[in-house]
Amino acid sequence: MSDARIGLVLGAGGVAGVAFHSGVLAALAEELGWDPRRAELVVGTSAGSVTAAGLRAGVSAADLLARATSGSLSAEGAAIMSRSDAAVTTRLSPPPARLPTGWPAAPAVVLAAGRRPWRVRPGAVVAGLMPPCAVPTAAIAEGVEALFPAGWPGRATWICAVRLDTGRLTVFGRTGAPPAPMGQAVAASCAIPGYFAPVPIDGARYVDGGAHSLTNLAKVRSEGLDLVVVSAPMARAGARRPGLGAVARDAMRLQLALEAGRVRRGGTPVIAFAPTPEDQRAMGRNPMDPACQAPVAEQARRSTLRRLERPDVRRRLAPLLHAGSER
């Protein structure tokens, strides 16, 4: 069989989301021998953009897990991450104690939504109507930019953000998107409204790509891939857990199912990994809490390994065994 063309879609989810991605990818690498750095296309939204940057910089799945759990990195992984760590001159500020107040950041988004309501998602409208927050994303941009001294990654890498004044999704790295340094694109994708300040790129302001979709999976529909693997930290798998977050996760699960359906109707198989009830317990109520990283990563790895014991899941993931060997 010729090399399979694998797409990897990494969704939003804050600090917990980065940890969840690391556990899922480490399990896939450990059990199936698939190296996610070899994916034909990587799509990252918010937390997923951070993981996408790490993979495209050459960080292995095992090192992503070690980073999340404060374990020992390989020599290669330590060398890569040291470049990023050394470049960061500022640290992320804690989230504001309350939502910002004042004038909307981009009231023009209401007009944009009125002209083309089918193109502007409700989350993007809310983002434009929220007062801008002042927490900078410099630490994210600096750390990522140090990993790409030669510019954008050579392999296809799409970073999703929302243009604030129009509410429209922008996929940086895709043909036709505005030019942007990798660090700025990732910072924009991570700029959670009400937490981070919008990120200016090429004369426009951008915020978290999750304001459009928590995975932006539908964007890969026409890419001719043999399989798309999705890691969706804000959806859910298995039984519904009671609590305030249950309705939100139900909505996110529905959004993921609708987008996966579109991709499958286009002829591309999709398999998604979302948090089990055990994973959700490890995540807790605050996805931005750094203390959740190790528990979430370890639990996500365990739950993914359990799922990989199922013969039907292994059959669906068979193309991973035939993915290309070059990074």
Side-chain angles (χ1 to χ4, degrees), residues 10 42-44 47-57 148 153 157-159 182:
L10 303 165
V42 178
V43 180
S49 72
V50 175
T51 302
L55 291 171
R56 287 314 200 206
F148 298 94
T157 309
W158 293 357
I159 305 298
M182 185 71 170

Side-chain angles (χ1 to χ4, degrees), residues 46-235:
S46 197
S49 72
V50 175
T51 302
L55 291 171
R56 287 314 200 206
V59 182
S60 69
D63 281 333
L64 289 176
L65 181 67
R67 178 81 166 185
T69 58
S70 299
S72 298
L73 279 71
S74 69
E76 179 186 28
I80 294 170
M81 296 312 303
S82 66
R83 297 203 311 267
S84 176
D85 294 340
V88 178
T89 60
T90 58
R91 296 296 168 188
L92 288 178
S93 302
R98 61 186 64 183
L99 290 175
T101 58
W103 291 101
V109 72
V110 176
L111 297 177
R115 287 193 296 267
R116 292 185 174 183
W118 61 93
R119 300 293 294 273
V120 181
R121 301 281 176 88
V125 175
V126 171
L129 292 179
M130 290 184 68
C133 193
V135 177
T137 55
I140 299 172
E142 291 168 353
V144 171
E145 203 58 36
L147 300 177
F148 298 94
W152 204 265
R155 283 202 174 204
T157 309
W158 293 357
I159 305 298
C160 301
V162 167
R163 179 166 166 163
L164 199 54
D165 59 340
T166 65
R168 297 281 299 278
L169 180 70
T170 295
V171 184
F172 292 106
R174 191 182 189 188
T175 302
M182 185 71 170
Q184 286 295 100
V186 171
S189 186
C190 291
I192 303 169
Y195 187 157
F196 289 117
V199 176
I201 296 176
D202 198 33
R205 294 175 299 160
Y206 293 88
V207 295
D208 195 318
H212 181 269
S213 164
L214 292 166
T215 64
N216 292 294
L217 167 61
K219 291 299 173 183
V220 307
R221 183 174 185 268
S222 303
E223 296 305 306
L225 300 166
D226 295 303
L227 175 68
V228 176
V229 177
V230 185
S231 177
M234 297 187 75

Side-chain angles (χ1 to χ4, degrees), residues 239-252:
R240 188 176 191 262
R241 287 190 72 221
L244 294 176
V247 175
R249 286 194 178 272
D250 285 348
M252 297 163 194

Side-chain angles (χ1 to χ4, degrees), residues 13-26:
V15 173
V18 174
F20 182 80
H21 294 320
S22 72
V24 170
L25 295 177

